[in-house]
C-alpha cells in the first residue's frame, strides 16, 4: 500500500508540474513527450494522473480525521 501511495503521489506531482507549464507557458510537457494530447501514451498518462488523484482522496480524508498528516507525525 505504501508503494502505491508513493507512485500515485509522484504521478500527481507530474500532473501538477504539467498544469503549471500549461498555465504559465501554454506548453503541455506530457503531450510533447508522448506525441500530442490525443496520442495513446499521453492519454494513458492523463488517465493515470487522474486515477492517482482519486486514489489519494482516501489517505487525505484519513489524515483529516486524525487531525494530522502522516508525514508530520514522523518529525
Amino acid at each position: 500500500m505504501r508503494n502505491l501511495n508513493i507512485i500515485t503521489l509522484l504521478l500527481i506531482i507530474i500532473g501538477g508540474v504539467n498544469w503549471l507549464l500549461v498555465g504559465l507557458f501554454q506548453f503541455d510537457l506530457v503531450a510533447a513527450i508522448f506525441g500530442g494530447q490525443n496520442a495513446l501514451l499521453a492519454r494513458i498518462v492523463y488517465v493515470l494522473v487522474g486515477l492517482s488523484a482519486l486514489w489519494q482522496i482516501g489517505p487525505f480524508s484519513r489524515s483529516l480525521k486524525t487531525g494530522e498528516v502522516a508525514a508530520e507525525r514522523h518529525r
Side-chain angles (χ1 to χ4, degrees):
M1 193 67 87
R2 181 176 185 271
N3 289 337
L4 186 57
N5 283 337
I6 291 170
I7 291 167
T8 56
L9 282 171
L10 178 63
L11 285 168
I12 292 170
I13 291 167
I14 290 168
V17 170
N18 193 57
W19 275 112
L20 176 67
L21 292 172
V22 169
L24 290 177
F25 307 111
Q26 296 181 351
F27 178 71
D28 187 340
L29 181 62
V30 172
I33 291 172
F34 295 110
Q37 287 183 332
N38 292 324
L40 179 61
L41 288 176
R43 292 174 54 102
I44 290 171
V45 171
Y46 297 141
V47 168
L48 289 175
V49 168
L51 290 174
S52 296
L54 292 176
W55 176 264
Q56 284 298 320
I57 291 172
F60 177 70
S61 65
R62 284 191 299 277
S63 72
L64 291 177
K65 288 178 186 175
T66 62
E68 62 184 72
V69 178
E72 292 293 322
R73 276 187 269 161
H74 298 294
R75 284 188 172 189

